[in-house]
Amino acid sequence: MEPVIVVHGGAGNDFDDRVAEFRVGVERATQTGWAVLSQGGSALNAVEAAVRMLEDDPNFDAGHGSFLNANNEVEMDAMVMEGAKLGYGAVAGIQRVSHPVSVARLVMEHTPHSIFVGAGAEQFARSMGVPDCPMEELVAGSSTHLLRPEDRIFRPHAGDTVGAIAMDASGTLAVAVSTGGMAGKMPGRVGDSPIIGCGGYADNELGTAAATGSGEALMKVVFSKTACDLMGGGLNPQQAAEEVLRLLERRTGSSHGGIILLNPAGEVGSAFNTNHMVHACISGTHGLWIKD
Ligand code: ASP
């Protein structure tokens, strides 16, 4: 199969003045993932590498750019999934790590479990040799550093969450998603991003999806799995992306959302209802394209 990778930097209305920076970051992450694929690497390695790069980029709401919760702390959510065996791992509300996406992968590959939360997730990360990243470093890198009292009132605006989907030469699909969640969220709040079928999904028989937007709404329609089922039912990825967004709007009100999709043939779809969702794709056939 011809490998392909698609990466997004979040669907939002609040970063119109930073689109140029977002394009640079998303393109760099897509190139990083593509380098893995083009050297024969797995889809899982590619999406993890792309997302790690965005977790290091303070422009994005993940890792070192995570939004702050109402206590001015960083609590992060991440997931990975691979479509050959439906392998899945996730962390929620994790603190003091630089790369939650890699901890999610360790959960998938080194435990009999699927989701680790909070202190247990951190304890697991340490036990696997993941270095400690002091909270001050994550907060200092936050794109909302520090929340002013008036910003601590939660406004359900989608942010700059990141996600990547890929297909490798063997035809295996994979997804990785990482986020600091919504700015001003209540401590302990978990969004769609780490939840299987909501923030992301991958099944070699259906396709793969990475979502962004208002997590509470995306969960209600099991956004990513629904999009994959639409592809399994015969829609092409672009039709499925548009259809699942219509469903989100119809069933949950005017919720913000965006999605990137790949079907098992490596065809791409994307849709969003916010001002921007910077996303880029690289494949051997079509080279690089980037949209916002
Ligand atoms: N979906 C994320 C969440 O609800 C936010 C985002 O996509 O920007 O935590």
Side-chain angles (χ1 to χ4, degrees):
M1 304 288 288
E2 183 67 63
V4 52
I5 183 163
V6 192
V7 178
H8 78 74
N13 294 322
D14 300 332
F15 52 84
D16 295 3
D17 52 339
R18 287 186 293 143
V19 170
E21 283 115 294
F22 275 45
R23 287 177 70 104
V24 170
V26 168
E27 181 176 337
R28 195 167 42 205
T30 312
Q31 297 280 13
T32 299
W34 176 249
V36 173
L37 290 175
S38 60
Q39 286 158 26
S42 70
L44 193 57
N45 284 349
V47 293
E48 182 188 5
V51 166
R52 280 178 68 96
M53 177 142 275
L54 294 172
E55 287 175 335
D56 285 336
D57 186 333
N59 277 311
F60 298 95
D61 175 23
H64 289 261
S66 291
F67 288 159
L68 301 177
N69 68 18
N71 286 349
N72 269 335
E73 289 191 358
V74 167
E75 285 182 319
M76 301 166 290
D77 304 331
M79 71 164 282
V80 296
M81 186 168 182
E82 63 80 30
K85 297 186 177 155
L86 304 183
Y88 163 66
V91 289
I94 194 169
Q95 302 186 300
R96 286 172 285 272
V97 296
S98 287
H99 299 111
V101 70
S102 294
V103 185
R105 182 165 179 182
L106 290 168
V107 171
M108 180 176 97
E109 293 181 338
H110 294 277
T111 81
H113 306 303
S114 296
I115 310 182
F116 281 32
V117 303
E122 268 178 74
Q123 194 182 324
F124 167 70
R126 297 301 161 252
S127 77
M128 297 302 296
V130 173
D132 186 89
C133 175
M135 175 71 78
E136 307 82 72
E137 268 185 42
L138 291 168
V139 170
S142 167
S143 29
T144 51
H145 175 250
L146 284 165
L147 282 183
R148 296 163 302 174
E150 59 270 31
D151 293 333
R152 295 190 196 183
I153 299 152
F154 175 64
R155 289 165 294 131
H157 288 169
D160 326 334
T161 289
V162 305
I165 54 175
M167 186 176 74
D168 59 32
S170 75
T172 287
L173 299 169
V175 56
V177 179
S178 186
T179 187
M182 303 257 204
K185 66 185 180 181
M186 292 171 73
R189 178 264 187 189
V190 175
D192 61 298
S193 304
I195 308 298
I196 189 167
C198 298
Y201 199 72
D203 179 343
N204 286 2
E205 296 184 3
L206 297 174
T208 183
T212 168
S214 315
E216 283 72 8
L218 298 174
M219 285 189 273
K220 290 178 185 171
V221 295
V222 198
F223 196 61
S224 290
K225 176 66 160 68
T226 299
C228 288
D229 284 340
L230 288 167
M231 292 191 286
L235 294 191
N236 69 39
Q238 188 55 38
Q239 291 167 333
E242 290 168 14
E243 180 59 27
V244 78
L245 204 57
R246 275 194 293 273
L247 175 77
L248 178 78
E249 290 167 352
R250 184 166 60 78
R251 297 298 287 123
T252 70
S254 59
S255 306
H256 295 155
I259 195 161
I260 52 175
L261 292 177
L262 277 175
N263 68 8
E267 294 167 332
V268 182
S270 64
F272 55 98
N273 61 8
T274 50
N275 291 355
H276 297 285
M277 180 180 76
V278 178
H279 57 295
C281 173
I282 302 181
S283 67
T285 323
H286 299 294
L288 167 81
W289 57 253
I290 182 160
K291 296 181 187 167
D292 57 39

